[in-house]
Amino acid sequence: MTASALTFRAATLEDLSAIVALLANDPLGARRENNTSPLPAPYEAAFMAIDRDPNNELIVVDTPDRPVAGVLQLTFVPHITHEGGWRAQIEGVRVAEDQRSGGIGRQLFQWAIDRAKVRGCHLVQLTSDKKRTDAIRFYEGLGFVASHEGLKLHL
């Protein structure tokens, strides 16, 4: 799909159900998301927190045939390291199953990388569950390198 056919925009509250549906539509997301109607209140609370934070952007991509064909969250994080440099953290990436392999994910990432440059970031980083081998291969194809070992502590 050509970049001109895609629209990248800030998500609205009206997009929230479609975003959660995307996040829930895979084996890992199905276990941790609650894609019911109405959505549980914490989703709206999280959306509102993201929406009012100037260092967080929830971005959706629309195609001519499908609104919210993809989503990612971009968070800008200041660091003391790297001479007080800023990083962009990409999370919550999904492209609708019926829209994959058409270049939408690649263009969504290019949009996010360009946005990080505009914001003055020196680095774009992401994590991916080790079980998402296709996603990791995709990220590596975009030039991301597994240079660090990520660790998490669930609370």
Side-chain angles (χ1 to χ4, degrees):
M1 183 159 307
T2 65
S4 62
L6 302 177
T7 302
F8 303 94
R9 61 178 176 82
T12 65
L13 190 56
E14 291 74 31
D15 298 321
L16 189 55
S17 291
I19 292 168
V20 173
L22 286 175
L23 295 173
N25 189 26
D26 77 20
L28 296 175
R31 290 196 316 253
R32 64 179 174 227
E33 303 304 338
N34 188 351
N35 187 25
T36 57
S37 184
L39 288 174
Y43 284 112
E44 185 173 339
F47 176 88
M48 299 308 287
I50 292 164
D51 194 50
R52 70 178 163 261
D53 182 345
N55 290 320
N56 268 289
E57 298 180 5
L58 187 60
I59 303 301
V60 295
V61 57
D62 298 331
T63 70
D65 301 326
R66 181 182 180 138
V68 192
V71 63
L72 64 71
Q73 183 174 340
L74 191 56
T75 303
F76 303 101
V77 185
H79 284 264
I80 296 299
T81 62
H82 293 271
E83 300 179 18
W86 283 73
R87 297 178 187 193
Q89 175 80 22
I90 297 176
E91 292 286 340
V93 179
R94 294 292 190 289
V95 172
E97 194 169 7
D98 65 340
Q99 302 289 308
R100 293 182 191 150
S101 300
I104 292 173
R106 180 171 294 278
Q107 291 176 64
L108 181 58
F109 263 81
Q110 190 57 58
W111 186 94
I113 291 165
D114 290 345
R115 181 75 179 121
K117 289 176 184 176
V118 166
R119 288 286 303 253
C121 296
H122 70 91
L123 178 78
V124 177
Q125 62 188 21
L126 58 85
T127 61
S128 186
D129 192 293
K130 291 180 180 186
K131 295 177 186 121
R132 295 185 190 279
T133 56
D134 289 341
I136 292 168
R137 195 169 28 258
F138 171 75
Y139 301 141
E140 289 171 341
L142 294 173
F144 286 84
V145 177
S147 61
H148 291 68
E149 189 71 26
L151 305 164
K152 295 188 179 193
L153 175 65
H154 288 276
L155 303 176

